[in-house]
Every structure is written in C-alpha cells, then in structure tokens.
Amino acid sequence: MSLPAFKYLRPDSLEEAIFLLGSHPGEIMIMAGGTDLLVSLKQKLFQTARVLDVKAVSELRGLEFTETDGLKVGAATRLSDLAADKLVQTRYTGVAEAAQSVGAAAHRSMGTLGGNVCLNNRCWYFNQSPTWRTTFGSCYRLGGESCLVAKGTARCRAAYCGDTAPSLLVMGAQVKIGGPTGFRTVPLDELYTGDGKASIRLAPGELVVEITVPIPEVGVGTAYRKYRLRDSIDFPLAGAACAIGLDDEGTCTHARIALTAVGSRPERCPQAEDVLAGRKLTAGVISEAVEAARSQARPLRTTVMPPPYRRTMVALMVRNAIRAAASRCESGWEEYPS
Amino acid sequence: MTTAIRKRLPRNDALQKVTGDAQYADDIYLPGMLYGKLLRSPHAHARILDIDTERALALPGVRAVVCGIDTSGIKYGTVPDEQGLAIDKVRFIGDEVAAVAAVDEETAEEALALIDVAYEILPSVHDPLLAMQEGAPVIHEASAHIYDAARNISRRTHLAYGNVEAGFAQADYVFEHTFETQMVNHATIEPHSAVAQYDPGGKITLYSSCQTPFLIRSDLAATLQMPLTRVRVVKPRVGGGFGGKREMMASDFSAAVLAMKTGRPVKVTYTREEALATTRQRHPTRISLRTGVTRGGRVVAKECHMIMENGAYNGRGPDILGSCPNYLTVLYRTPNIHFDGYLVYTNNPPGSAFRGFGNPQIRFADDSQMDIIAAELGIDPVELRHLNVREAGDVTPNKAIITSCGLRECVEEVDRATDFRNRWGKLPFGQGVGLACGHHTCGFKSLLPHDSSAAVVKLNDDGTANVLTGASDVGQGSDTALGMIAAEELGIPFHRIEMTTADTEVTPMDLGSYASRVTFIAGHAVRLAAADAKSQLLEAAADLLRTPPQDLVSENGVICSLEHPERSALVEEAIQHHLAHGPGSPILGRGAYNAPTDRLNRETGEGNTSPAYSFGAQVAEVKVDPETGRVRVIRMTSAIDCGVPLNPTAIEGQVEGSVAGGMGQALLESFSQHEGLILNPSLLEYRVPLAGEMPDMDTIIVETEEKEGPFGAKGVGEFVQIPTAAAIANAVYDAIGVRIHDLPITPDKILAALSKKGVGT
C-alpha cells in the first residue's frame, strides 16, 4: 500500500495555516504527527488533494499554565511532552496518564494532543485496505445502506478510540477553534457529533488550535484507566476517566466520569456521576455508579474480546478510575464496605 | 582452546542489519523494473467462468496481465493440488486469480480493479468437522493423492505401535481430554517478496525471500516447464521465515511469469495484509487424547485422534500430519500408541509448515494432559516427567534412534532454577508455575529420499576463505553458525570467513532451512568441505615447513608443527606456497552430507527420519489478574539440550525468539474470521507479543555430545517453542485452578471459567 499523491503544505504560522485551510475548504486535511492520518491515507479511507502539516506552526506547540486560566495545550503538542510534564502529572494526573497510555512510544513522540482528541472513529470494517473493503461492499460510512459491523443499523457506529478525550472531558476542558472568521471556544464535549461518519464538529476551514483545561477544583483527584491486550501498543478496548472531589467528611462533592472506546463519541456518564454526588464512596455506592456506567457503554464488536466481556472491562476500568481518583483526593480516601 | 566454536561471537551480518544496509528482496531495484500485483479471489469458493483483462491492459502504464489460463496450470506442492494462479476454481478468500505488471505499484493496484472476473459462487465450508460430513461442498476433485475427496479428507494417518489394547489394560487410570489449537501466522517482519529477471536467452533469475531456494527452483522449473539450468533462485537477506517461506508462493511464480511476458524485471512484494491472510498458517487442530497410566505414574498407552484443518491447499500439510505420531513417541517413553489423524480441506487460508511442524499442537495437548495427570495422581509434574522421559540409547516404538538425550537433566535444571517443586501448588491465588517439555528433529527425511547438503570452501591467498552453500540464513543465524564451523575446522579466525548463501547457480545444493536441519546437516557439509580444504592446506604447509602434514595443526590462522614448535607458517603463507608450487589451482575444498536416516514410511510411520533429536524443558511463571483475566508471563526458564553449544549467544537468541512465538500462540495471536474472510489482517489487530509483553528469559544449556553432530552439535531452531504454550497453560492452572483446553488463553475465556467455578468479579 502506498500513499496517494497529494499536495503537501507546511505553514510556519497559525495565520498562514488558517489562510491555507480557508483557501481550500473541504479539500484539505490537517496532519500533525501523522500517526493516524498517514495510515488512513494509505488505506484510502479518505481522499484529499492537500495535506496541511501543522507541525511547524509554533503557536500550536507547547503548554502553558497559569493560576488564573489553568492549562493551555497547543493542539500540536506532542503527547510525550504532555505526559512528561511535571505540572500536568501533579495537577492533571488523569490527563498525563491518558497521554502516556496512547499507542506505543513512537506514536506518543510523534502524535499530538489535538490529533488524539480529533482521532477518527474506528471499526474493524472501515479501517482496512481498499481491497479488503471491496470484499464486503460498502458500509454506511462509505455510502452503503447500513453499518456492516452492527448489521442493519442505518448509521455509522464506528467508535472513538482516543485515550485523552475522556480525561479532558472530566476536567471540563474547552477547545479553541480557529477558522476564516476568527476564533471560537467551545466545551470539548461539543466537538463530538456522536456520528461515526463525521465525528468531529468542525466547519470547513477550521482547525483545533488549543485545548484549555481549567484549574482543577480544590482537592480533586483524577485518573484514567485503560484496558488493552498489549501494554506495548493497542487502542483501548475500554477506557474510563474520573475526577473525584471529597469533603473532609468523605462525602463526594464532585464526580465526573467519562468513557472511551465504547461508543461513537467519548462521553460523560451523568447517571453514574449522580450516583456518587453527595454520598460517601462506599463499595456499594461505587458499585452502583459502576453499574450505571456499564449500562451506558455500547461496545461495538471488534476482532477481539466479545462485547459482554468488554462491558465487564468498562465496569472494571470505571471502578479502578474512581478508586484511583478518590485516593488522590487531597482529603485522602479509604473505601468503606457498604 | 578453540578457534571459533563455543564462543559468543557476534553474527557476521549484525553490522549490516543494525545499520540498515542489509539487502532484502524488496531492496533490489533492477533497471527497467516493473511492479507486480496479484488479483485475489473475494470468494471463499467459486468457479472462475471468465476473466476479462481488456480494461486493465488498456490502462496506461500496464505492461502485462497474466491469468492462470496463460500458464501451464501444472500443480505443485509436496502432494500437488495448487496452481501458481488458479484456473478453474478459487478455494479461499485470497486465492490468486491474475497478476498485473505495471510501471509502478499504484498503476498495478489500479489495474487490478479493472480486471473483470465472472465467478459462479459455490457453497463454502469453514469448519473441518462440517467439511468431513457427507454432502459438504467438495473442495478438490478426487485424485490419487487425496484420501477421500468427497469428505474433503486430504490425508489420513492411521498407525499403531505396540499393543494398544494390552497397554490400556495395564493402566490403573485412563485420562481423556480434547484440546484445540488455533490458526497462527508466521508474521515475519519481512513480508514475502520476489524479483524476477528474464534474460532473452531464456533464463529466469528469481531473487526470493525464501527459506528453500533449491526447492523453490524445483517448483518454479516444473510449473514453468523449464530445465533446472534455466531457473536460478537467489536468496538475499531474509527477514524471518519460520516455515512460511519454504514453498513457492504466488509472488515467486507471478514475478517469473510476468518477467517472461514483458521481458523486464518484475518485483512482487506482498503487503502485510497479503502475508497475514493469503500465504500459509499454522494448522488449527482438534486433538483428543486418551492416556493410560499406572498408579505409579508410568504412561503405558496413548490414543490420539487428531483433526488437522488443512485449509484450501496442502502446502506441507500431509507431511506435517505424517510427522505427528513421532511427536508422541519420541519425547516420553510410551510403548503403545494408536494415532488416527485426518487432514481436512476447508475454504480457509492454507496451513503449512510453521516452527515445530505440528509438534506444538501435539505438545500443547499432551503436556497439558501430563499436568492434569500429575495433579490427579498426586505426583508432582517434575516427578511425572522423570518417570517417563526419553533416555539416550532408546529406540522408540516407531524406530527413532535416540543417540543423545539430556531431557532428564533439562527437567532437573528448570526445577532447580525456578524452585519449581517447592512453589508448584503453593503460590498465592493468581500466581503460578507450569512445566512442559519438548523435542524436535535435526532434519527430516520424508519429502525426498535424501536429506542432504553440500558446500564448497575456497581459500584465498590472503588467508581468508569463502564458504559457498545452499543453506539459507533467514535470520536464524545459520551463516554465523556455518562460518564458525568452517573457521574452526580450518583453524582461521571467524572474521576471515565470507559466506555465500544461497544461489542455486553458484552454491552447492542444500534442501533449505526447515526441520532444524541447517546446523546439523549443512554444518556437516561445511565441516567436510573445510576439512578437505585443510588437508590441502596442510599438504602445502608440510612442503613449506619440511615436516609431514600429520605433524601440523592449524589454529587461529597459524599452522604449527607439533614435533618442532619453532616451525610455523601463517595460513596465507601456506596458501601462497600452494599457488606457487602446486598445479596452479587455488585450494578448493568440497564437502557433502546426506543424513544417515530412513525415509519416513508413510504406511507404518516407522523409521529413524532424523539423525538426532534435541530436547528441552521449560518453566513458565505467570500472574493472572482475576479481575481482567489477563495473563502475564513473568519469567520463562528454558533448559535445552542442543548437543555441544556452538555459539551460546546465538542459541539464547533462538530460545528467546521461540518463547516470543510460543507465548504469542498461547496468549494473544488469533484470527477473527467470518466465512473465510480474515477480519484482522494487520499487525495492529493480529497481536503478536512485542518487547513490552516479553518476560524475563533464562536459558540453561544442558550439554550433551551428539556423536553424529558437527562438533557434537544438534539443531536449536524449533524445539524451544514447542513446550511454551503448554508450560503457560499449566502455569495458568497452577495460578487460578482453571484449565483452558483451547488456544489462545484469552482473558474472556479465563473470566468465563473463573465465574463458572464461582470465583471472580
């Protein structure tokens, strides 16, 4: 498999990047580390006349922290840099854990936060060579009548499989988006459409510029837990992020839970969060929240590990993330039996 | 003091490989070269009604399109049932239908989509048990080669040794279990690749990523209907074979045919997807094993029923099935054996040779069952092995002759190194240790009536030597092992040896890299060639030093008189003396070796088909996470008897590679299939273990001296992978009390088994 021909554009500044994007709306794809896009282009998953490489755009790289605005991470900041940052490790532990768990070392040192947040949704039918795909005919995403993995569904059920999004969602992250008409900032949650076919809500000519993560609420602990078969490399088969705040009595004052890999978007688990809020985190209460999260998960069939097993892993990852986050709370935490 | 052997010498290709300079088939670019691509069947079973290549040929840049009908259609293989390109029928998804040569890969790919094939889709069958039933779709037409075409049985191997009935009558206990093993791919780092060049004089040269250049030359010559002189196969550096590159592939055949048609060189390199899904696989098996043991723990009788799924074509399947009884007779002393095995065609990708040649499947079943027996009898697994291990001097029921055997010591060594007996059954829940044993051959006389190799050693006037042999280094390091043997025999430093391997036009014949035969069989040939050169060298030195040749020794590049130690000469001085005073020819040594073995008797399964047998024992230490069901191998200790260790570093490399391969099959590797379509043809989704998954690995070399082996050595290529899956399965049982009978041992199976037992989340 070879890369198709395309025009390669490598702007030096954000202004130039936005100009180039705006000049060819819909006929240009954005590349940062290339760890996902280049593979997809080889597999002819997308056709594009141009690739805009934003690696050289200095405004998109680096991270900055202030006690007023919190953490700002340029979209083209390498995941390895994010994971290795001491401040991120201390104040945004779950984000550092998520960045550290992406792919293999080579992916992390090329791949970027923006790229991982905007990772294309995946499924075992779509992410194949063109020769392979023609054996089955076109799936919904490729213009066919229905999904070929979840047979009979007239929508694309491909799953978001990035690790970082859930860890950012539980922190209330926002994304700064740049485009021909200027900049806008939206909650990260709104970046995702939930439609596997067009999963990222960006208008033609727009790009993600920065991810901002507010100052964590005082005393909150965070964690990300990922289930995969090989620690060396693998997308999550289940992933859960959690942020927990506890008061001095041990009552949960803040609870955020989000999942990845088990739906068409990374998503919060409001019911599970509600279970925890205002209660002491006993084993029983945690189990109740875990159940709520599990019932929300919709794992699509993959080539390994059947969906029922993966639901069990969702539950386990949620449980582990809650425990890890709670134990990182400033007030300290010990699990009480129900 | 030795000159080379027993030393931890670095490989002679190490620098080229680590710097990226090593040339593999796909690195070859010839002037005017075209790129070939294969059109593959999208159907598991279909009749080809018509192929229209007109639109493809009209695409600018396309130079040729070839279909099966344009070729001889001659079937090839050990038991021939496969054509280079299919003519009448396709039998699995990925079967090759046509080949295109174009000016670049993109054009060739584009042209594939323009070939119109009319198929009549036939019912397909994907499960060997269904394929064996009356009325199942018939995949191959009846022929003399096929045992029962109507029931898709390519081969049946039905044998008995001793008195099975009487054996079971002696048994105090009889154990019966069924085990299953999955389809596994070689997943070589280098996919299959071939570059063919046709010279107008009518000769084809094929640079092929292969393990067996001489056998591929035979297949190619037969299918192209050309004499062997007009087919030249050159093996460049090869990035792994493991049995997956020991037959002619459609890439080889198509590159040759397209080169002949266009008159230009043609390269065909498989994508990872093609290598994983359309080449060859380890046969999936279903093995029912019934074993009779005495109260004291002696195995007295064994009955084995085996269904081996052949996939669409034979590959080396019939030979593999034919070897399976051996795997039950050699390792443990089992006087009475009944074996009934079926090799069954399905419309899945073809199975064939893969490190162990059927032995890992048998061993998983047999050594898992040994563990069950140990627990049931209250005999620890070490003791149970000691009661049954093969010993040197034994002749097996099917007449294999065991000349050297360190199996008992291997079991003792792994026990000692891991404190096995004190930990087995006593570790906390979730942690376990497991023991298994294995053996394999050092050659295999079955395919041909000989198991042979030849070599030539040429001495140069600067004291260096060229070794020419058809033996094929495919990454296992045989160029290093053979170079060391030559250096040792000649008495010149290893770095002065240059290996030329393998080119069917230049190097003497060798059957290739399989059956763990290279060190042993090619090693003999190289040693004999070096000895022949050395005797000429010493003649020359004798003349130079005025002392009889019997008085001279050659060591580390110096020839020295034993009688008069002050008389010595450098090797190059002796060579130059020979050139100046001899008949004018440089020193040229020749050597050949044909293993003194019996060809496998297919009717009786009898014969000493290998000149020696290597043995080993392995202990796996695992941790099982009862919440996820994931198994982590913490440490793998292997004690191995490969005769005299020629190069301990190279041996450790083979052991570690074997552990990785065995662990992959045990825990991770599996294809997800839907009616013959492989859903995960990528290294992301077909999960081989990577560095992060590997355990600590310890290798203990238990030295024996194999009288028949070159410098006492035996093969080490395969046998260490053979016990690995059983060792891990046994350790999992020790850790959590759950026995997984079907590979791979995946987390979902473990959780299901735990929950059935009432343990777990």
Side-chain angles (χ1 to χ4, degrees), chain B residues 470-588:
Chain B
S472 298
D473 195 324
V474 294
Q476 85 276 39
S478 64
D479 277 357
T480 303
L482 297 177
M484 287 170 69
I485 287 171
E488 185 66 29
E489 187 63 38
L490 289 166
I492 67 173
F494 173 61
H495 66 83
R496 290 200 210 163
I497 306 285
E498 180 68 22
M499 301 297 296
T500 300
T501 64
D503 177 338
T504 58
E505 194 163 281
V506 174
T507 57
M509 203 256 337
D510 175 273
L511 293 181
S513 287
Y514 62 87
S516 302
R517 65 186 291 286
V518 185
T519 297
F520 203 103
I521 291 174
H524 263 301
V526 168
R527 185 179 182 178
L528 291 168
D532 182 20
K534 188 169 79 173
S535 75
Q536 299 172 53
L537 177 69
L538 295 185
E539 286 284 346
D543 191 50
L544 180 69
L545 299 173
R546 295 172 200 291
T547 177
Q550 309 82 274
D551 172 43
L552 293 172
V553 288
S554 171
E555 216 172 79
N556 276 312
V558 180
I559 299 164
C560 176
S561 160
L562 293 170
E563 190 102 349
H564 311 282
E566 74 286 358
R567 290 190 200 169
S568 70
L570 297 175
V571 165
E572 50 269 43
E573 290 167 350
I575 298 169
Q576 287 159 14
H577 183 81
H578 176 88
L579 271 168
H581 299 91
S585 85
I587 292 174
L588 192 71

Side-chain angles (χ1 to χ4, degrees), chain B residues 331-348:
Chain B
L331 187 66
Y332 299 125
R333 287 175 159 169
T334 310
N336 309 296
I337 289 190
H338 175 206
F339 181 91
D340 195 4
Y342 293 83
L343 181 68
V344 184
Y345 286 120
T346 63
N347 295 110
N348 289 336

Side-chain angles (χ1 to χ4, degrees), chain A residues 1-4 42-44 122 124 127-136 151 227-235 237 301-306 309 312-313 316-317 319-320 323, chain B residues 37 41-43 93 105-106 109 271 273 625 627-630 632 668 670-672 674 677-693 746-749 751 761:
Chain A
M1 273 187 297
S2 47
L3 267 180
K42 281 188 179 179
Q43 291 180 324
K44 316 288 188 288
R122 308 177 55 83
W124 62 256
N127 295 87
Q128 299 276 7
S129 75
T131 323
W132 194 95
R133 292 195 304 268
T134 55
T135 306
F136 255 10
K151 296 259 163 68
Y227 179 75
R228 54 179 158 179
L229 291 179
R230 290 178 300 183
D231 293 331
S232 302
I233 182 172
D234 271 339
F235 284 107
L237 287 168
R301 194 158 64 87
T302 57
T303 61
V304 277
M305 303 296 108
Y309 173 83
T312 307
M313 288 306 104
L316 184 63
M317 293 304 111
R319 181 187 304 275
N320 290 347
R323 285 175 171 164
Chain B
K37 287 275 172 196
S41 167
H43 306 297
I93 295 175
E105 272 188 272
E106 295 70 24
E109 267 175 35
T271 60
E273 178 177 327
D625 181 339
E627 289 190 316
T628 60
R630 246 182 66 165
R632 197 179 293 269
L668 285 165
S670 97
F671 283 108
S672 180
H674 176 76
L677 179 68
I678 287 181
L679 308 184
N680 55 336
S682 73
L683 288 181
L684 181 62
E685 298 291 331
Y686 179 81
R687 291 171 168 82
V688 296
L690 303 178
E693 280 63 58
T746 50
D748 56 325
K749 289 181 193 169
L751 282 202
T761 48

